Amino acid sequence: MGDPSRFGVYGGRFVPETLMAALKELDHAFRTIVPGEKFQAEMQYYLHEYAGRKTPLTFCRNLSRDLGCRVYLKREDLLHSGAHKLNNALGQALLAKMMGKERLIAETGAGQHGVATAIAGAALAMQVDVYMGEEDIRRQALNVARMKMLGARVVPVSSGSCTLKDAINEALRDWVTNVETTHYLIGSVVGPHPFPTLVRDFQTVIGNETRAQVMEKEKKLPDAIVACVGGGSNAIGIFTPFLGEETRLFGAEAGGEGPAGKHGATLCRGRPGILHGTYTYLIQDAFGQVLESHSVSAGLDYPGVGPEHSFLRDAGRVSYHPVTDQEALDAFLYLSRAEGIIPALESAHAVALARHIAPGLAGDDVLVINLSGRGDKDVAQVAELVGDAL
Amino acid sequence: MISRIGDAFSHQKRPLLVACLVAGDPDREVSLSLMREAERCGADIIEVVMPYSDPVADGPVMQKAMQRALRAGMTPDGLFSLLRDFRTSSGTPLLILTYANIVVQRGIGAFYRDARAAGADGVAVADVPLEEADPFCRAARESGIDPVLFVSQTTSPGRLREIADRASGFLYLVAVLGVTGVRGSLNAGIGEYLGKVKEVSPLPVVPGFGIGTPDQIRELARAGADGVIVGSAIVSEVERTLGDGSRAREAVGAKVRELASALR
């Protein structure tokens, strides 16, 4: 066993000394409380009875016919809250509660993780403060209202670029200040150790279910799996049980405006560096100043990525590709019309990449797309963007 | 090799004032004049911040100053040239404070070598705790730079010892739970904690974060601090006088004089 805080050279704990005690406390709780019977029993209750697991693996007749292989969707869009984020929010909130913390803080970009944390806080009777960039608050009014209705406080962030990156900075600053009473419920497989491992473990339920469901239906493992990658939690969640198998794994990054324009394709177009406590691929300038990312999908609009993805990229185990805003919008409408399922714009990136790789698959090959969330939150934005095309 | 920082602490019979400024804030020329003015008005050590886009240990005053400096074009090359210019006319110890990615992107070894060549005496990296410190401390020592490490009230006694073993120059004691920025009063128990750190540390112990008034400085001096670091209180004078270099110099000078008088 190497250093548990690292994935190859990536990961680590690049945080102010003041936070180290909290990270060590969390790491200890993660290793002692989570495997215990009490935690596991509670978690089963919340995942199954409360959140609605397991989520279906839907065989898509129309997509399969159109794409020329056997296409399945893993339906995280049908999870309570409408996205996979709740798996992690419930897990961490329960852990924080059992650690004796009274308050949860979270960052959110599109608002999905903020909503998931607000739900977990309501269910577990914990105070929730969600940091959100002013720019994102303006873009995601629906989710802001949802968080407030669920009893959370939404704290506007006006520093830096006023988006997700700055919301994480502000949440870290809050945590440094209130470290004794507060748990920072980070929303993706990013940040300092143990967060990338902790969040991965809570999201691996997606991959474990998928594996059993595909085996049952197809009597074999899937040939290919596609997921979108912002921070990368839904992708890690579905990839993990297949890392040791032959299954080909594909990550769809935010290609944004395309090769010449602004983007969020950290793994495809970035270079390693340190942001938010971890060594990982970043979108940055020559001197190490982190640059603003761009994506039509707020959930993929992040200049970093989970350190385990950086490792999987370098190892060649997962193949990452940029998907442009336009391709994602096309895929959004394509899935809506072909199957009657409106995907989140994030998940639409995975659908778009699946359309690219399907021609390379055989007719009886099994392709799984992780549909990480539903698209209700994006309906107004897409209607505005595509306009007459509707 | 004799460290200018170690030397300053061993020769001075009173606690030292470490005055902090952001390199290139509001621009290179004014920034250099502010460093000289701080020295002239009683700063014993100058801490120069190399700005980073995402400074999670810093409060609003320092964040804004870093943004100003970055907009004005500050880079590590710019920082080193600034320090070289300052060094031509001064023997005052210089400490660089920055964040890990700035060091890593230049190459850890190269950053410390270039810092030394520019006349820096110490480097502190705000987001490098004990767990990640080894490559940074090794490169520092190889270049003759003091690796200044942080301790806080959340640091356990055993850990304190390990940190003190690796650091040199002084130990940077984070005096508040939280980010940089002046507070109305110091954390309760900071004096007692300072005493505990001093028991363990062979190095001078210097609190920073949240300190901005002569009363707070006197309180820490009475508690046995070997110095105090003041950042936001000085940098907010730069913010207050933006657009007028000579007013900025006067304001920063007056603030440093006021703070320094509390230690004499």
Side-chain angles (χ1 to χ4, degrees), chain A residues 6 12-18 20-21 24 159 165 169 172-173 176-177 271-275 284 287-290, chain B residues 51-56 58 63 70 75 100-102 105 126-127 129 131-132 150 152 154-155 159 177-179:
Chain A
R6 298 276 177 167
R13 284 168 270 203
F14 294 91
V15 294
E17 170 65 19
T18 313
M20 279 309 304
K24 292 196 156 199
S159 57
K165 167 176 91 85
N169 290 338
L172 283 167
R173 291 178 185 123
V176 176
T177 310
R271 109 168 173 270
I274 295 161
L275 175 67
Q284 58 183 327
F287 308 110
Q289 307 297 351
V290 180
Chain B
Y52 173 54
S53 54
D54 295 83
V56 295
D58 282 291
Q63 287 173 43
L70 287 175
T75 64
N101 199 39
I102 300 300
Q105 292 309 316
D127 54 349
E131 281 70 11
E132 308 292 347
F150 296 84
S152 92
T154 59
T155 307
R159 192 176 165 82
L177 282 183
V179 295

Side-chain angles (χ1 to χ4, degrees), chain A residues 22 45-46 62 70 94 114 122 168 195 199 203 205 211 215 218-219 229 243 273 275-276 280-281 296 354-356 367:
Chain A
Y45 162 78
Y46 280 106
N62 302 334
R70 301 182 61 76
L94 194 56
I168 296 179
F195 283 112
V199 177
Q203 291 294 2
V205 65
R211 188 176 169 123
M215 279 306 277
E218 296 282 345
K219 312 295 176 222
V229 179
L243 288 175
L275 175 67
H276 297 146
T280 190
Y281 277 79
V296 68
R355 294 172 84 184
H356 275 298
L367 168 64

Side-chain angles (χ1 to χ4, degrees), chain A residues 61-139:
Chain A
R61 292 182 174 177
N62 302 334
L63 245 61
S64 297
R65 203 176 303 123
D66 189 52
L67 295 179
C69 59
R70 301 182 61 76
V71 180
Y72 287 88
L73 294 179
K74 179 58 175 166
R75 300 294 303 280
E76 293 301 297
D77 61 316
L78 294 180
L79 192 67
H80 176 44
S81 83
H84 76 288
K85 293 287 184 192
L86 190 63
N87 298 322
N88 168 54
L90 285 171
Q92 282 196 55
L94 194 56
L95 179 58
K97 183 103 181 167
M98 290 174 74
M99 288 168 73
K101 305 284 179 186
E102 301 149 9
R103 172 175 175 255
L104 300 172
I105 55 173
E107 83 294 341
T108 200
Q112 289 304 104
H113 175 57
V115 167
T117 305
I119 289 172
L124 289 160
M126 297 172 84
Q127 184 195 336
V128 174
D129 289 337
V130 179
Y131 286 91
M132 190 169 186
E134 276 183 344
E135 180 62 23
D136 288 333
I137 287 179
R138 203 182 49 75
R139 291 194 289 197

